[in-house]
Amino acid sequence: MKIKKSNLFLYSGTFFLVIKTVLSASKIIPYSDFMDTVLAAAGALCMILSIIMQQYKVKVLLIYAMLIGITAYNAIITGNNALAVTIIACLAIRKTDLKTYIRFIFKLQSTLVICHTIVAIIGSMIGTFNIVQNIGGITRYDFGTLHPNSFAALAFNLMIMWIWLNWDRIKARHIVFMICGSGILYYFCKTRTNFIAMLAVIGLVFVCGVKHKFVRLVEEVATVIIPLLSIAMGVAIILYANGNRIVLLLNEVLNARISLGAYALAHYSFTLFGQNMASLYTGTTWDPVWQLNGFTFDCIYTYMLVNQGIIWLILLTILFAKLAKRKNPKDNVAIIAWALYGVTEVQGLNCFSCMPILLLTKLFGKGTEQNG
């Protein structure tokens, strides 16, 4: 695709950050924290240069600088730069045609994922790589990524972008293809929660995009789903320590995502602006109470409540609700996809790992119609 000179820094930054997203999920390509920091810094710098070149008034630039400063501080406190990168990207693309920009991300990321997968499969056939993991006695394929869930998350993001970009051209046969693709992905990766989320999103596409039914209901769901899931997961990690049977059952369905959040809450507390939990990530050892060999968040709601900061969750809830009220069916399906994805993964704060958060720029951009 042709890129205007004025957008060179924007797309260069996007290139670095998409590369970062894919490589950070790879186990077959050498990658380090230093490389991750370099790619993130290079991408952010290009984005900031893009903002400066857009010739905003000084007042606007000061507001941008304040927002970037706040998110940068949050990144330092929490040790995660996903939110800062997303905020910078959203500020940089305010005047950009959103559909063109997302198409660029889709083409680049799909190319990288396909090439990476082919290399991983060929490497496994000649004995160079191992793309199979035994997790809990179940054989699961990771296709060269750190975990089968990592590969499934990349596939989920590509599916959401494809749906949004091709909304007006989706037919019943595309629905069938997506269902079959989701089934194949589940067969190899055994990602149950991801599979359920995919089927739910495909079902929404069918009733809204193909059959044009329940559009109003989908709008209402998109408006309330994020606060409802936030409250539900917050209550769940509180009740888990009390041995609530319903919560324990739900924890099994969600593959221990509630117990992980409850463990974090037991050692820290809810946080409004974010907190550093490095000791939990690096110092968790097995004990007879929690029975965890290591710790990570696998749910964006518990992650934001305990680690990233409640204030950001509230802000996202308000912005997504405002976007849902614009009555755009494909945006509302994307919002619900983001919300469902958040139950199973934390990458939703990274716009290059989960696209729907980029749609919030519609609330602040001038070219709403051209932005899809």
Side-chain angles (χ1 to χ4, degrees):
M1 59 183 293
K2 294 182 179 179
I3 298 174
K4 297 178 181 179
K5 289 184 179 180
S6 58
N7 285 332
L8 184 60
F9 280 116
L10 172 62
Y11 283 97
S12 296
T14 303
F15 178 81
F16 288 129
L17 295 171
V18 172
I19 291 287
K20 171 187 179 298
T21 299
V22 176
L23 292 189
S24 63
S26 174
K27 72 176 185 181
I28 65 174
I29 298 177
Y31 194 72
S32 63
D33 290 341
F34 175 75
M35 187 182 297
D36 187 81
T37 301
V38 169
L39 287 173
L45 178 60
C46 287
M47 293 282 189
I48 291 172
L49 290 174
S50 172
I51 292 172
I52 294 172
M53 291 182 66
Q54 291 177 41
Q55 298 180 335
Y56 285 108
K57 294 180 179 179
V58 175
K59 180 180 178 181
V60 175
L61 288 175
L62 289 175
I63 294 174
Y64 278 19
M66 181 183 68
L67 288 173
I68 293 172
I70 291 172
T71 53
Y73 175 76
N74 177 266
I76 294 171
I77 291 295
T78 62
N80 188 297
N81 57 32
L83 182 62
V85 167
T86 296
I87 293 294
I88 294 172
C90 288
L91 294 177
I93 65 173
R94 267 191 64 198
K95 294 183 177 181
T96 302
D97 177 19
L98 190 56
K99 195 167 187 177
T100 301
Y101 183 71
I102 292 175
R103 185 179 290 111
F104 174 80
I105 297 174
F106 175 78
K107 288 182 177 180
L108 176 58
Q109 194 167 95
S110 59
T111 300
L112 291 171
V113 171
I114 291 170
C115 291
H116 182 275
T117 303
I118 291 173
V119 171
I121 293 174
I122 293 175
S124 70
M125 293 173 66
I126 62 177
T128 304
F129 305 127
N130 180 18
I131 62 172
V132 178
Q133 296 186 29
N134 188 291
I135 303 175
I138 300 175
T139 300
R140 301 172 63 181
Y141 287 79
D142 58 40
F143 296 105
T145 60
L146 296 170
H147 192 280
N149 289 356
S150 301
F151 183 80
L154 289 171
F156 185 85
N157 187 43
L158 290 174
M159 185 186 78
I160 298 304
M161 284 193 285
W162 186 89
I163 289 172
W164 191 85
L165 289 169
N166 296 278
W167 182 266
D168 295 326
R169 293 179 289 177
I170 295 177
K171 307 297 181 184
R173 66 178 182 275
H174 298 122
I175 301 294
V176 174
F177 290 151
M178 285 191 286
I179 292 174
C180 292
S182 300
I184 293 171
L185 183 69
Y186 175 73
Y187 176 80
F188 284 102
C189 297
K190 301 295 189 297
T191 50
R192 183 177 59 189
T193 49
N194 184 282
F195 178 62
I196 294 172
M198 278 187 162
L199 291 184
V201 172
I202 294 169
L204 290 172
V205 174
F206 179 74
V207 299
C208 289
V210 178
K211 290 295 184 181
H212 304 289
K213 294 180 179 179
F214 307 114
V215 172
R216 179 64 185 276
L217 177 61
V218 170
E219 175 195 331
E220 294 175 356
V221 172
T223 304
V224 302
I225 188 170
I226 296 174
L228 288 181
L229 287 176
S230 301
I231 294 170
M233 294 305 294
V235 171
I237 62 175
I238 293 173
L239 295 180
Y240 179 85
N242 299 327
N244 183 280
R245 286 188 293 179
I246 296 177
V247 173
L248 293 176
L249 178 61
L250 184 61
N251 184 57
E252 291 185 16
V253 174
L254 295 177
N255 292 333
R257 285 173 170 85
I258 294 176
S259 59
L260 288 169
Y263 177 78
L265 183 63
H267 288 79
Y268 286 85
S269 61
F270 291 116
T271 175
L272 189 60
F273 298 105
Q275 59 186 330
N276 190 305
M277 297 177 59
S279 62
L280 215 59
Y281 287 106
T282 59
T284 296
T285 55
W286 193 92
D287 65 67
V289 177
W290 294 99
Q291 301 180 15
L292 295 174
N293 293 316
F295 173 79
T296 184
F297 279 103
D298 270 337
C299 172
I300 199 170
Y301 303 105
T302 56
Y303 171 61
M304 296 190 76
L305 289 169
V306 183
N307 193 175
Q308 194 70 38
I310 296 173
I311 191 70
W312 298 107
L313 185 56
I314 293 174
L315 180 61
L316 285 175
T317 297
I318 294 172
L319 293 177
F320 272 125
K322 286 183 174 293
L323 182 62
K325 291 297 184 182
R326 293 198 166 197
K327 304 181 186 298
N328 188 322
K330 70 176 183 179
D331 288 351
N332 289 336
V333 169
I335 292 170
I336 295 173
W338 188 92
L340 295 176
Y341 179 88
V343 176
T344 63
E345 297 292 343
V346 300
Q347 288 96 330
L349 288 183
N350 183 344
C351 61
F352 302 106
S353 294
C354 193
M355 178 277 293
I357 199 168
L358 277 178
L359 301 180
L360 295 179
T361 57
K362 285 189 171 188
L363 300 174
F364 307 102
K366 295 181 179 179
T368 303
E369 290 301 320
Q370 74 168 10
N371 284 350

